[in-house]
Amino acid sequence: MATVINMPRLSDTMEEGVVAKWLVKKGDKISEGDILAEIETDKATMEFESFYEGTLLHVGIEEGETAPVDQLLAIIGEENEDISDLLNGNTTPNAESVKEEKVEELAPVSNQTATIPDGVEIITMPRLSDTMEEGTVATWLKKVGDTVEEGDILAEIETDKATMEFESFYNGTLLHIGIEEGQTAPVDVLLAIIGPAGTDISALKDGVPVTAAVQDAAPAKAETTVATSQGNGTSGGRIFASPLAKKIAADKGIDLSLVKGTGENGRVVKKDVESFTPSVTAASASTSQPVKETTSAPVVQTYTPAGEESFEEVKNSQMRKAIAKSLSASKFNAPHYYLTIEVNMGNAMASRKKINELPDVKVSFNDMVVKACALALRKHPQVNTQWTDVATRYAKHINVGVAVAVPDGLVVPVLPFTDHMSLTQIGAKVKDLAGRARNKKLTPQEMSGSTFTVSNLGMFGIQEFTSIINQPNSAILSVGAIVEKPVVKDGQIVVGNTMKVTLACDHRTVDGATGAQFLQTLKQYLENPVTMLA
């Protein structure tokens, strides 16, 4: 009987997907576990595997096409089977319903009936964020038979928001791994078993689910295809690598075909990419090979012959669509207005120079702005608010978010209780958060909970700009470059250094006079930095 496969929902925010590449074609024989296609979501490009065996009878969405979740993706059945009823919309129980039955087979371990031996601990896939429904084991840092102590890092787990280290709360020996590297499983599915060395746990493995990746959302399955003799994770032109390894390789510009995989069956994992050093031979060999077709966006031609008008369309990535959606919601729901003020930075420059003469101290102008904002929010609590349909929420704490550009877009790591931090503490914390943001090591907690946001483009020479409010905040400060220019001082024209800052406010919570008073206080702190120490 033919089975209908719909466009899967591969993330909690996914509403549509793009078929980046079909890895099989109509008429091909399909086995359970075969990768059917690579699907681009709003967060990543993920491999989509088959849970069924048969022949690919129909492809509903061609390469490069975008379709909403649950639209017909493909039909698998017996060779030459009549699927006209399915194509006409008469869909009997399809892949989604069967998928749900399969996922229910992966019941949480709390439902298991096997007796747990003394000293044995069952570890399940943890819920590492409030929206997490499933996780992918990016890397195991322990292997079966290793001694584990409380506090040891067992594995790195990819969630819907970040890749996070997962530590053990128990002492013992790692007796069993239920989810291999690269596999995806729902929260509460068996992850590992820890206990005394030599303990018989066969009943536990039979009594709890140990198969990890029986669901549409698996970004990658442990490949059963044997790798090539070079062990670089390739077979028949395909590269087998974990999702995290692919992402790191893309960020570093590394050709995965040159990386030797140490994972199962030669699969390339995170540590292989991080330790990879391109050799001269490899570089020359890679340049001599024909260029492979990829699914990345084509390079836009910059030259157009004179006398011709032309356009070239490049598809929007799912991530850019997600950014557009969230920013549009803020811009169109919150009535923005903007206030700009010019600050004399002469004293700030002199103060920063003195501070940075201290050993092991490095403070930036942005750190001074963040500190000044935190102190100004103390005096103007109306700016430290959030709008809801029934009430205005006044935050009694001050958490300043700092916008950081990353290759995939923009993230806002947060400094908790910023008003209680010194300039040097702010400088060290911002440096740490920004570095880990670019390496995708921030936890969801470190990117949530801001009550005010600072965005600084001054380092790019931008003198003045406006930002869109980072909801649910009521305001965001845009910081421009420090510019040397003529200023009037004591009736004389002298050379000065000034900086423009623009405050974007939500008029539902912050009136114009309130925003202006906040900027006046901010200016006083920046023009007289010593007052921030009072």
Side-chain angles (χ1 to χ4, degrees), residues 6 15 31 90 99 107 145 161 196 201 205 207 210 259 263 307 309 333-334 337 449 465-467 471 477 481 523 525:
N6 293 333
E15 296 183 355
S31 298
N90 181 19
K99 178 199 73 173
K161 294 182 177 178
I201 58 168
K205 289 191 289 184
V210 297
V259 180
E309 293 183 357
N333 291 333
Y337 71 91
F465 68 104
T466 60
S467 301
Q471 290 189 332
L477 187 75
K523 180 177 180 180
Y525 280 128

Side-chain angles (χ1 to χ4, degrees), residues 232-346:
N232 63 346
T234 62
S235 177
R238 290 199 58 222
I239 299 174
F240 299 140
S242 72
L244 186 58
K246 291 180 180 179
K247 189 61 181 172
I248 295 173
D251 292 341
K252 293 185 176 183
I254 296 175
D255 184 354
L256 279 176
S257 65
L258 304 177
V259 180
K260 182 177 180 180
T262 60
E264 182 181 0
N265 296 323
R267 188 178 185 85
V268 179
V269 295
K270 174 188 173 185
K271 62 182 179 181
D272 301 327
V273 179
E274 291 184 336
S275 61
F276 174 71
T277 303
S279 63
V280 176
T281 304
S284 60
S286 64
T287 55
S288 64
Q289 295 176 352
V291 177
K292 297 180 181 179
E293 182 180 350
T294 67
T295 59
S296 59
V299 177
V300 178
Q301 182 179 352
T302 57
Y303 170 74
T304 302
E308 293 185 13
E309 293 183 357
S310 62
F311 297 92
E312 183 173 355
E313 291 189 359
V314 178
K315 276 190 176 296
N316 297 321
S317 70
Q318 296 301 97
M319 179 170 288
R320 295 313 305 179
K321 290 180 181 179
I323 292 174
K325 182 178 179 180
S326 62
L327 292 181
S328 296
S330 175
K331 183 69 173 177
F332 299 141
N333 291 333
H336 287 54
Y337 71 91
Y338 307 95
L339 303 171
T340 301
I341 197 168
E342 192 166 14
V343 181
N344 188 329
M345 294 295 287

Side-chain angles (χ1 to χ4, degrees), residues 8 55 89-90 94 101-102 110 195 265 377 393 459 496 499:
T55 301
N90 181 19
N94 59 18
E101 293 174 6
K102 285 178 172 281
S110 59
N265 296 323
L377 288 169
R393 301 178 64 197
M459 68 282 290
M499 178 181 74

